[in-house]
Amino acid sequence: MKKVSILVPCYNEEGILPVLYDRLSAIINNISGYEWEILLVNDGSRDNTLEVIRSLRDKDRRVSYVDLSRNFGKENAMLAGFDYVTGDCTVVMDADLQDPPELMPQMLEYWEQDFDDIYAKRIHRGKESWLRKRFSLMYYNMLKKTTKIDILQNVGDFRLLDKSCIETLKKLRETERYTKGLFCWIGYRKKEIVFERGNRLTGQSAWNFKSLFNLAVEGLTSYTTAPLRISTIIGLIVSLIAFIYGSYIWIKTLLYGDPVQGYPTTMVVILFLGGIQLLSLGIIGEYLGRIFNETKGRPPYVAREYNGKKVL
Ligand code: UDP
Ligand code: MG
């Protein structure tokens, strides 16, 4: 019998996990012909998530869990999940039920038709602020223009992945992860299904503007070196302008002599160039920081416990 894993990263989700479990088990009990695993990755929650997960496992052995040694962030928690899932395919979903698990039968159907990566695209983003929507739209347009891989908009991590995709994803062990991009990078036969995204059932989204901004920078810098190119181009343009302006001054001085003047212009040029140099240095720094983190070669996450057994 084929085994289907459901992978759920959980960070401070004690309130919702029982609801999630009820909803999931109602669905999977209705689908016959498969073995099931619900793998919950506890990403260093500070509430009672781990206890809730343990009691779920006591009740139902289809529930497995990995407990990480601290909070490593959703991206790394997902990698931990990829390492521990045992299914022939894996459904990745959020704990907050914003992704309707009711789509699973349809995903499985496509999987049986030999698709490897069946992703859910949301047609409506729920009650999110106008600013957030704009920001997200702008960001995806920018990504699309600068990266060579097509990172899909309004597609989250909710998807069914064949075991072959999971094995490939496990090989991509960069520490600064942007999983959404990795899903696109790996390729494979993809299939889209659409759904309407709801709002969080309980609790608060753990993302704030700052973490979204960080994720956005991560997405850009781990997929494209375009910002480096842009700073080169700006540098070239500024040098060209400086050259033309310099020639103009040179000719002017030859023709009319040089009474001392031009303090404001000098200041403007110095400040302008200084700004551009700092900006370019910052961009280089972003990449350098990433190289630095990557060269340390640390594992992207540390697992503490798997199904009640200490991970050594
Ligand atoms: N999550 C996690 N580690 C974190 C933050 C979030 O594992 O550091 C999980 C969280 O429990 C949820 C999923 O990632 O299952 C998505 O989180 P959230 O709903 O806060 O994000 P959003 O829906 O706003 O993208
Ligand atoms: Mg959510």
Side-chain angles (χ1 to χ4, degrees):
M1 205 169 5
K2 286 181 186 163
K3 187 170 182 180
V4 183
S5 298
I6 301 171
L7 163 59
V8 187
C10 311
Y11 178 58
N12 297 342
E13 304 281 8
E14 60 175 4
I16 204 147
L17 278 179
V19 188
L20 175 77
Y21 171 78
D22 289 342
R23 193 124 152 227
L24 279 182
S25 56
I27 293 166
I28 64 185
N29 291 340
N30 259 329
I31 307 177
S32 56
Y34 295 101
E35 226 182 297
W36 293 90
E37 171 191 55
I38 303 175
L39 179 71
L40 305 170
V41 180
N42 177 32
D43 185 19
S45 303
R46 270 168 301 190
D47 61 0
N48 288 320
T49 301
L50 185 61
E51 281 68 40
V52 174
I53 291 177
R54 282 196 180 121
S55 68
L56 287 176
R57 177 164 169 84
D58 287 340
K59 202 161 64 175
D60 185 346
R61 282 281 143 171
R62 290 177 299 187
V63 176
S64 293
Y65 68 91
V66 188
D67 182 35
L68 304 187
S69 64
R70 64 169 169 86
N71 179 252
F72 283 92
K74 183 187 177 189
E75 309 291 318
N76 295 330
M78 272 196 288
L79 177 67
F82 297 153
D83 286 338
Y84 283 90
V85 286
T86 54
D88 297 299
C89 69
T90 299
V91 180
V92 186
M93 67 170 76
D94 285 358
D96 56 10
L97 286 170
Q98 271 179 313
D99 309 323
E102 285 74 18
L103 287 186
M104 276 192 314
Q106 203 188 343
M107 289 178 159
L108 280 170
E109 224 168 86
Y110 282 123
W111 180 53
E112 293 291 356
Q113 290 169 22
D114 209 26
F115 285 102
D116 302 307
D117 177 1
I118 299 103
Y119 59 86
K121 186 185 169 97
R122 43 182 190 267
I123 42 175
H124 160 73
R125 289 176 64 92
K127 262 198 215 106
E128 277 172 345
S129 74
W130 179 85
L131 190 71
R132 194 166 160 167
K133 268 186 226 165
R134 291 273 355 145
F135 185 71
S136 137
L137 188 72
M138 256 167 51
Y139 176 64
Y140 281 103
N141 284 338
M142 184 170 67
L143 266 189
K144 202 178 278 172
K145 285 202 183 104
T146 51
T147 48
K148 278 163 197 109
I149 27 175
D150 192 13
I151 292 175
L152 298 156
Q153 189 184 2
N154 283 344
V155 174
D157 300 322
F158 183 33
R159 56 181 69 223
L160 183 148
L161 294 156
D162 184 70
K163 197 175 166 66
S164 51
C165 298
I166 298 284
E167 290 303 320
T168 309
L169 284 167
K170 276 158 77 170
K171 288 181 197 144
L172 311 177
R173 301 196 79 82
E174 52 222 65
T175 15
E176 318 259 335
R177 300 181 72 77
Y178 184 65
T179 315
K180 204 190 279 197
L182 298 182
F183 289 140
C184 300
W185 185 91
I186 59 169
Y188 286 100
R189 288 193 68 198
K190 295 191 186 304
K191 180 78 194 168
E192 174 177 296
I193 51 185
V194 290
F195 75 107
E196 202 153 326
R197 183 162 167 110
N199 295 310
R200 267 191 90 92
L201 223 57
T202 67
Q204 271 271 317
S205 169
W207 297 102
N208 50 33
F209 199 77
K210 188 171 145 236
S211 59
L212 278 176
F213 180 77
N214 286 342
L215 189 73
V217 172
E218 204 100 301
L220 259 185
T221 47
S222 46
Y223 281 90
T224 164
T225 46
L228 291 174
R229 172 115 7 114
I230 292 171
S231 68
T232 314
I233 292 172
I234 294 178
L236 274 176
I237 292 175
V238 171
S239 314
L240 192 72
I241 294 173
F243 180 75
I244 294 171
Y245 186 59
S247 315
Y248 162 74
I249 292 179
W250 187 61
I251 292 169
K252 205 174 98 175
T253 313
L254 281 184
L255 292 181
Y256 303 107
D258 183 25
V260 176
Q261 55 165 236
Y263 174 74
T265 30
T266 315
M267 277 313 280
V268 166
V269 170
I270 290 178
L271 289 179
F272 179 61
L273 282 184
I276 287 180
Q277 281 167 359
L278 284 182
L279 179 75
S280 311
L281 274 181
I283 295 174
I284 296 175
E286 282 290 332
Y287 286 93
L288 192 66
R290 260 161 196 89
I291 296 172
F292 173 64
N293 278 337
E294 220 58 69
T295 48
K296 284 190 284 194
R298 292 192 185 154
Y301 68 88
V302 178
R304 205 184 68 84
E305 191 183 312
Y306 174 59
N307 285 347
K309 282 193 254 355
K310 278 254 173 261
V311 175
L312 300 173

